[in-house]
Coordinates of all heavy atoms in Angstrom, one line a residue:
M1 N -113.6 -100.3 -24.9 CA -112.6 -100.2 -23.9 C -111.8 -101.5 -23.7 O -112.4 -102.6 -23.6 CB -113.3 -99.8 -22.6 CG -112.3 -99.7 -21.4 SD -111.4 -98.2 -21.3 CE -112.6 -96.9 -20.9
A2 N -110.5 -101.4 -23.7 CA -109.6 -102.6 -23.5 C -109.9 -103.2 -22.1 O -110.3 -102.6 -21.2 CB -108.2 -102.2 -23.6
K3 N -109.7 -104.5 -22.1 CA -109.9 -105.3 -20.9 C -108.8 -105.1 -19.9 O -109.0 -105.2 -18.7 CB -110.1 -106.8 -21.1 CG -111.4 -107.1 -21.8 CD -111.6 -108.6 -21.9 CE -112.9 -109.0 -22.4 NZ -112.9 -110.4 -22.8
K4 N -107.6 -104.9 -20.4 CA -106.4 -104.8 -19.5 C -105.8 -103.4 -19.5 O -106.1 -102.6 -20.4 CB -105.4 -105.8 -19.9 CG -105.9 -107.2 -19.7 CD -104.8 -108.2 -19.5 CE -105.4 -109.5 -19.2 NZ -104.4 -110.6 -19.0
L5 N -105.0 -103.2 -18.5 CA -104.5 -101.8 -18.2 C -103.1 -102.0 -17.6 O -102.9 -102.9 -16.8 CB -105.4 -101.2 -17.2 CG -105.0 -99.8 -16.7 CD1 -105.0 -98.7 -17.8 CD2 -105.9 -99.4 -15.5
A6 N -102.2 -101.2 -18.1 CA -100.8 -101.2 -17.6 C -100.8 -100.6 -16.2 O -101.4 -99.5 -16.0 CB -99.9 -100.6 -18.5
N7 N -100.1 -101.2 -15.3 CA -100.1 -100.7 -13.9 C -98.6 -100.6 -13.4 O -97.9 -101.6 -13.5 CB -100.9 -101.6 -13.0 CG -101.0 -101.1 -11.6 OD1 -101.4 -99.9 -11.4 ND2 -100.6 -101.9 -10.6
V8 N -98.2 -99.4 -13.1 CA -96.8 -99.2 -12.7 C -96.6 -99.3 -11.2 O -97.4 -98.7 -10.4 CB -96.3 -97.8 -13.1 CG1 -94.9 -97.5 -12.7 CG2 -96.4 -97.7 -14.7
N9 N -95.6 -100.1 -10.8 CA -95.3 -100.1 -9.3 C -94.3 -99.0 -9.1 O -93.2 -99.0 -9.5 CB -94.7 -101.5 -9.0 CG -94.3 -101.6 -7.5 OD1 -94.1 -100.6 -6.8 ND2 -94.4 -102.8 -7.0
K10 N -94.8 -97.9 -8.5 CA -94.0 -96.7 -8.3 C -92.7 -96.9 -7.4 O -91.8 -96.2 -7.5 CB -94.8 -95.6 -7.6 CG -96.0 -95.2 -8.4 CD -96.7 -94.0 -7.7 CE -98.0 -93.6 -8.4 NZ -99.1 -94.4 -8.2
N11 N -92.8 -98.0 -6.6 CA -91.7 -98.3 -5.7 C -90.5 -98.9 -6.5 O -89.4 -98.9 -6.0 CB -92.1 -99.2 -4.5 CG -93.1 -98.5 -3.7 OD1 -93.0 -97.3 -3.4 ND2 -94.1 -99.2 -3.3
I12 N -90.8 -99.5 -7.6 CA -89.8 -100.2 -8.4 C -89.3 -99.3 -9.6 O -88.2 -99.4 -10.0 CB -90.3 -101.5 -8.9 CG1 -90.7 -102.5 -7.7 CG2 -89.3 -102.2 -9.8 CD1 -91.4 -103.7 -8.1
C13 N -90.2 -98.6 -10.1 CA -89.9 -97.7 -11.3 C -88.7 -96.8 -11.0 O -88.6 -96.2 -10.0 CB -91.1 -96.9 -11.7 SG -90.9 -95.7 -13.0
V14 N -87.8 -96.8 -12.0 CA -86.6 -95.9 -11.9 C -86.7 -94.7 -12.8 O -85.7 -94.0 -13.1 CB -85.3 -96.7 -12.1 CG1 -85.1 -97.7 -11.0 CG2 -85.3 -97.4 -13.5
A15 N -87.9 -94.5 -13.4 CA -88.2 -93.3 -14.2 C -87.3 -93.2 -15.5 O -86.9 -92.1 -15.8 CB -88.1 -92.0 -13.4
C16 N -86.9 -94.3 -16.0 CA -86.0 -94.3 -17.2 C -86.6 -93.8 -18.5 O -86.0 -93.4 -19.4 CB -85.4 -95.7 -17.4 SG -86.6 -96.9 -17.9
G17 N -88.0 -93.9 -18.5 CA -88.7 -93.5 -19.7 C -88.8 -94.4 -20.8 O -89.4 -94.1 -21.9
V18 N -88.2 -95.6 -20.7 CA -88.3 -96.5 -21.8 C -89.8 -96.9 -22.2 O -90.1 -97.0 -23.3 CB -87.5 -97.8 -21.5 CG1 -87.8 -98.9 -22.5 CG2 -86.0 -97.5 -21.4
C19 N -90.6 -97.1 -21.2 CA -91.9 -97.5 -21.4 C -92.7 -96.4 -22.2 O -93.5 -96.7 -23.1 CB -92.7 -97.8 -20.1 SG -92.6 -96.4 -18.9
A20 N -92.4 -95.2 -21.9 CA -93.1 -94.1 -22.6 C -92.7 -94.0 -24.0 O -93.5 -93.7 -24.9 CB -92.7 -92.7 -21.9
L21 N -91.4 -94.4 -24.3 CA -91.0 -94.4 -25.7 C -91.6 -95.6 -26.5 O -91.9 -95.4 -27.7 CB -89.4 -94.5 -25.8 CG -88.6 -93.3 -25.3 CD1 -87.2 -93.7 -25.3 CD2 -88.9 -92.1 -26.2
E22 N -91.8 -96.7 -25.8 CA -92.3 -97.9 -26.5 C -93.8 -97.9 -26.6 O -94.4 -98.5 -27.5 CB -92.0 -99.1 -25.6 CG -90.5 -99.5 -25.6 CD -90.0 -99.9 -27.0 OE1 -90.7 -100.6 -27.7 OE2 -88.9 -99.4 -27.4
C23 N -94.5 -97.1 -25.8 CA -96.0 -97.2 -25.9 C -96.5 -96.6 -27.2 O -96.3 -95.4 -27.5 CB -96.6 -96.4 -24.8 SG -98.4 -96.3 -24.9
P24 N -97.2 -97.4 -28.0 CA -97.7 -97.0 -29.3 C -98.8 -95.9 -29.2 O -99.1 -95.2 -30.2 CB -98.2 -98.3 -30.0 CG -98.5 -99.1 -28.8 CD -97.5 -98.8 -27.8
R25 N -99.4 -95.8 -28.1 CA -100.5 -94.9 -27.8 C -100.1 -93.6 -27.1 O -100.9 -92.7 -26.8 CB -101.6 -95.6 -27.0 CG -102.1 -96.8 -27.6 CD -103.3 -96.6 -28.6 NE -104.4 -96.0 -27.8 CZ -105.5 -95.6 -28.3 NH1 -105.6 -95.7 -29.7 NH2 -106.4 -95.1 -27.6
E26 N -98.8 -93.5 -26.7 CA -98.3 -92.4 -26.0 C -99.2 -92.2 -24.7 O -99.6 -91.1 -24.3 CB -98.3 -91.1 -26.8 CG -97.4 -91.2 -28.0 CD -97.2 -90.0 -28.8 OE1 -97.7 -88.9 -28.4 OE2 -96.5 -90.0 -29.9
A27 N -99.4 -93.3 -24.0 CA -100.2 -93.3 -22.8 C -99.4 -93.1 -21.5 O -100.0 -93.0 -20.5 CB -101.0 -94.6 -22.7
I28 N -98.1 -93.0 -21.7 CA -97.3 -93.0 -20.4 C -96.5 -91.7 -20.4 O -95.9 -91.3 -21.4 CB -96.3 -94.2 -20.4 CG1 -97.1 -95.5 -20.4 CG2 -95.5 -94.1 -19.1 CD1 -96.2 -96.7 -20.3
R29 N -96.5 -91.1 -19.2 CA -95.7 -89.8 -19.0 C -94.9 -90.1 -17.7 O -95.3 -90.9 -16.8 CB -96.6 -88.6 -18.7 CG -97.4 -88.2 -19.9 CD -96.6 -87.4 -20.9 NE -97.3 -87.0 -22.1 CZ -97.5 -87.7 -23.2 NH1 -97.0 -88.9 -23.2 NH2 -98.2 -87.2 -24.2
I30 N -93.7 -89.5 -17.6 CA -92.9 -89.6 -16.4 C -93.3 -88.4 -15.5 O -93.2 -87.3 -15.8 CB -91.4 -89.6 -16.7 CG1 -91.0 -90.6 -17.7 CG2 -90.7 -89.7 -15.3 CD1 -91.3 -92.0 -17.2
H31 N -94.0 -88.8 -14.4 CA -94.5 -87.8 -13.4 C -93.4 -87.2 -12.6 O -92.7 -87.8 -11.8 CB -95.5 -88.5 -12.5 CG -96.1 -87.5 -11.5 ND1 -97.0 -86.6 -11.9 CD2 -96.0 -87.4 -10.2 CE1 -97.4 -85.9 -10.8 NE2 -96.8 -86.4 -9.8
N32 N -93.2 -85.9 -12.8 CA -92.2 -85.1 -12.0 C -90.8 -85.8 -12.0 O -90.1 -85.6 -11.0 CB -92.6 -84.9 -10.5 CG -93.8 -83.9 -10.4 OD1 -94.0 -83.2 -11.4 ND2 -94.4 -83.9 -9.3
G33 N -90.5 -86.5 -13.1 CA -89.2 -87.1 -13.1 C -89.0 -88.3 -12.1 O -87.9 -88.7 -11.9
C34 N -90.1 -88.7 -11.5 CA -90.0 -89.7 -10.4 C -90.5 -91.1 -10.8 O -89.9 -92.1 -10.4 CB -90.9 -89.2 -9.2 SG -90.2 -87.8 -8.5
Y35 N -91.6 -91.2 -11.5 CA -92.1 -92.5 -11.9 C -93.0 -92.4 -13.1 O -93.6 -91.3 -13.4 CB -92.8 -93.2 -10.7 CG -93.9 -92.4 -10.1 CD1 -95.2 -92.3 -10.7 CD2 -93.7 -91.6 -9.0 CE1 -96.2 -91.6 -10.1 CE2 -94.7 -90.8 -8.4 CZ -96.0 -90.8 -9.0 OH -97.0 -90.0 -8.4
A36 N -93.3 -93.5 -13.7 CA -94.1 -93.5 -14.9 C -95.6 -93.5 -14.5 O -96.0 -94.2 -13.5 CB -93.8 -94.8 -15.7
M37 N -96.4 -92.8 -15.2 CA -97.9 -92.8 -15.0 C -98.6 -93.1 -16.2 O -98.3 -92.5 -17.3 CB -98.3 -91.3 -14.6 CG -98.3 -91.1 -13.0 SD -98.9 -89.5 -12.7 CE -100.6 -89.7 -13.2
V38 N -99.5 -94.0 -16.2 CA -100.3 -94.5 -17.3 C -101.6 -93.7 -17.4 O -102.4 -93.6 -16.3 CB -100.6 -96.0 -17.2 CG1 -101.4 -96.4 -18.3 CG2 -99.3 -96.8 -17.2
N39 N -101.9 -93.2 -18.5 CA -103.2 -92.6 -18.8 C -104.2 -93.7 -19.0 O -104.2 -94.3 -20.1 CB -103.2 -91.6 -19.9 CG -104.5 -90.8 -20.1 OD1 -105.6 -91.4 -19.9 ND2 -104.4 -89.6 -20.6
E40 N -105.1 -93.9 -18.1 CA -106.0 -95.1 -18.2 C -107.0 -95.0 -19.3 O -107.5 -95.9 -19.8 CB -106.7 -95.3 -16.8 CG -105.8 -95.5 -15.7 CD -106.4 -96.0 -14.4 OE1 -107.7 -96.0 -14.4 OE2 -105.7 -96.2 -13.5
D41 N -107.3 -93.7 -19.7 CA -108.2 -93.5 -20.8 C -107.6 -93.8 -22.2 O -108.4 -94.1 -23.1 CB -108.7 -92.0 -20.8 CG -109.5 -91.7 -19.6 OD1 -110.1 -92.6 -19.0 OD2 -109.4 -90.5 -19.2
I42 N -106.3 -93.9 -22.2 CA -105.6 -94.1 -23.5 C -105.1 -95.5 -23.7 O -105.0 -96.1 -24.7 CB -104.5 -93.0 -23.7 CG1 -105.1 -91.6 -23.7 CG2 -103.8 -93.3 -25.0 CD1 -104.0 -90.5 -23.8
C43 N -104.6 -96.1 -22.5 CA -103.9 -97.4 -22.6 C -104.9 -98.5 -23.1 O -106.0 -98.5 -22.8 CB -103.5 -97.7 -21.2 SG -102.9 -99.4 -21.0
V44 N -104.3 -99.3 -24.0 CA -105.1 -100.4 -24.6 C -104.7 -101.7 -24.1 O -105.1 -102.8 -24.6 CB -105.1 -100.3 -26.2 CG1 -105.8 -99.1 -26.7 CG2 -103.7 -100.4 -26.7
G45 N -103.8 -101.7 -23.1 CA -103.4 -103.0 -22.5 C -102.5 -103.9 -23.4 O -102.6 -105.2 -23.2
C46 N -101.8 -103.4 -24.4 CA -101.0 -104.2 -25.3 C -99.8 -104.9 -24.7 O -99.4 -105.9 -25.2 CB -100.6 -103.3 -26.5 SG -99.3 -102.1 -26.0
G47 N -99.4 -104.3 -23.6 CA -98.3 -105.0 -22.8 C -96.9 -104.6 -23.3 O -95.9 -105.2 -22.8
L48 N -96.7 -103.8 -24.4 CA -95.4 -103.5 -24.9 C -94.5 -102.8 -23.8 O -93.3 -103.0 -23.7 CB -95.5 -102.6 -26.1 CG -96.0 -103.3 -27.4 CD1 -96.2 -102.3 -28.5 CD2 -95.1 -104.5 -27.8
C49 N -95.1 -101.9 -23.0 CA -94.4 -101.3 -21.9 C -93.9 -102.2 -20.9 O -92.7 -102.1 -20.5 CB -95.3 -100.2 -21.3 SG -96.8 -100.9 -20.6
K50 N -94.7 -103.2 -20.6 CA -94.3 -104.2 -19.6 C -93.1 -105.0 -20.2 O -92.1 -105.3 -19.4 CB -95.5 -105.2 -19.4 CG -95.1 -106.4 -18.5 CD -96.4 -107.2 -18.4 CE -96.1 -108.7 -18.1 NZ -95.7 -108.9 -16.7
K51 N -93.1 -105.4 -21.4 CA -92.0 -106.1 -22.0 C -90.7 -105.3 -22.0 O -89.6 -105.8 -21.9 CB -92.3 -106.5 -23.5 CG -93.1 -107.7 -23.6 CD -93.3 -108.1 -25.1 CE -94.4 -109.0 -25.3 NZ -94.9 -109.0 -26.7
A52 N -90.9 -104.0 -22.2 CA -89.7 -103.1 -22.4 C -89.1 -102.6 -21.1 O -87.9 -102.3 -21.1 CB -90.1 -101.9 -23.2
C53 N -89.8 -102.7 -20.0 CA -89.4 -102.1 -18.7 C -88.2 -102.9 -18.2 O -88.3 -104.1 -17.9 CB -90.5 -102.1 -17.7 SG -89.9 -101.5 -16.1
P54 N -87.0 -102.3 -18.0 CA -85.8 -103.0 -17.5 C -85.9 -103.3 -16.0 O -85.2 -104.2 -15.5 CB -84.7 -102.1 -17.8 CG -85.3 -100.7 -17.8 CD -86.7 -100.9 -18.4
A55 N -86.8 -102.7 -15.3 CA -87.0 -102.9 -13.9 C -88.1 -103.8 -13.6 O -88.4 -104.1 -12.4 CB -87.2 -101.5 -13.2
E56 N -88.8 -104.2 -14.6 CA -90.0 -105.1 -14.3 C -91.0 -104.4 -13.4 O -91.5 -105.1 -12.5 CB -89.6 -106.5 -13.9 CG -88.7 -107.2 -14.9 CD -88.4 -108.7 -14.5 OE1 -89.0 -109.2 -13.5 OE2 -87.6 -109.3 -15.2
A57 N -91.2 -103.2 -13.6 CA -92.1 -102.4 -12.7 C -93.5 -102.3 -13.2 O -94.4 -101.8 -12.5 CB -91.6 -100.9 -12.6
I58 N -93.8 -102.9 -14.4 CA -95.1 -102.8 -15.0 C -95.8 -104.2 -15.1 O -95.2 -105.2 -15.5 CB -95.1 -102.2 -16.4 CG1 -94.4 -100.8 -16.3 CG2 -96.5 -102.1 -17.0 CD1 -94.3 -100.1 -17.7
E59 N -97.0 -104.2 -14.6 CA -97.9 -105.4 -14.7 C -99.1 -105.0 -15.5 O -99.5 -103.8 -15.4 CB -98.2 -106.0 -13.4 CG -97.1 -106.5 -12.6 CD -96.4 -107.7 -13.2 OE1 -97.0 -108.4 -14.1 OE2 -95.2 -108.0 -12.9
L60 N -99.8 -106.0 -16.1 CA -101.1 -105.7 -16.7 C -102.1 -106.2 -15.8 O -102.1 -107.3 -15.2 CB -101.2 -106.5 -18.1 CG -100.4 -106.0 -19.2 CD1 -100.7 -106.8 -20.4 CD2 -100.5 -104.5 -19.5
K61 N -103.1 -105.4 -15.5 CA -104.2 -105.7 -14.6 C -105.5 -105.7 -15.4 O -105.6 -105.0 -16.3 CB -104.2 -104.9 -13.3 CG -104.6 -103.4 -13.6 CD -104.6 -102.6 -12.3 CE -105.1 -101.2 -12.6 NZ -105.1 -100.4 -11.4
E62 N -106.4 -106.4 -14.9 CA -107.8 -106.4 -15.4 C -108.5 -105.1 -15.1 O -108.3 -104.6 -13.9 CB -108.6 -107.6 -14.9 CG -108.1 -109.0 -15.2 CD -108.2 -109.3 -16.6 OE1 -109.1 -108.8 -17.3 OE2 -107.4 -110.1 -17.1
R63 N -109.2 -104.5 -16.0 CA -109.9 -103.3 -15.7 C -111.1 -103.7 -14.8 O -111.7 -104.8 -15.0 CB -110.4 -102.6 -16.9 CG -109.4 -101.9 -17.7 CD -109.9 -101.2 -18.8 NE -108.9 -100.5 -19.7 CZ -108.6 -99.2 -19.5 NH1 -109.1 -98.5 -18.6 NH2 -107.7 -98.7 -20.3
G64 N -111.4 -102.9 -13.9 CA -112.5 -103.2 -12.9 C -113.9 -103.2 -13.5 O -114.1 -102.7 -14.5
Ligands
SF4_1 S1 -100.1 -101.5 -22.2 FE1 -99.7 -100.7 -24.3 S2 -101.0 -98.9 -24.5 FE2 -100.9 -99.4 -22.3 S3 -99.3 -98.1 -21.5 FE3 -98.4 -100.1 -22.0 S4 -97.6 -99.8 -24.1 FE4 -99.1 -98.2 -23.7
SF4_2 S1 -89.6 -98.5 -18.3 FE1 -90.1 -99.3 -16.2 S2 -88.5 -98.3 -14.9 FE2 -88.5 -97.2 -16.8 S3 -90.0 -95.5 -16.5 FE3 -91.2 -97.2 -17.4 S4 -92.0 -98.3 -15.6 FE4 -90.4 -97.0 -14.9

């Protein structure tokens, strides 16, 4: 299991979908067209979504 996990700030996310396109694991879906949701079982914490997000809505957090 990866140590880190992408975490979306739903209040900042504008649901553009860029992160979902960039994720090499297809771990992100846009929930009801409102915000990005990360599948925690699939995310490997690579950070590509964070780099790609134009709204800076994604942070990497340590897994608990
Ligand atoms: S950190 Fe990597 S694997 Fe996880 S959601 Fe972002 S792009 Fe996908
Ligand atoms: S790239 Fe950023 S703003 Fe766009 S859907 Fe993903 S988290 Fe939301």
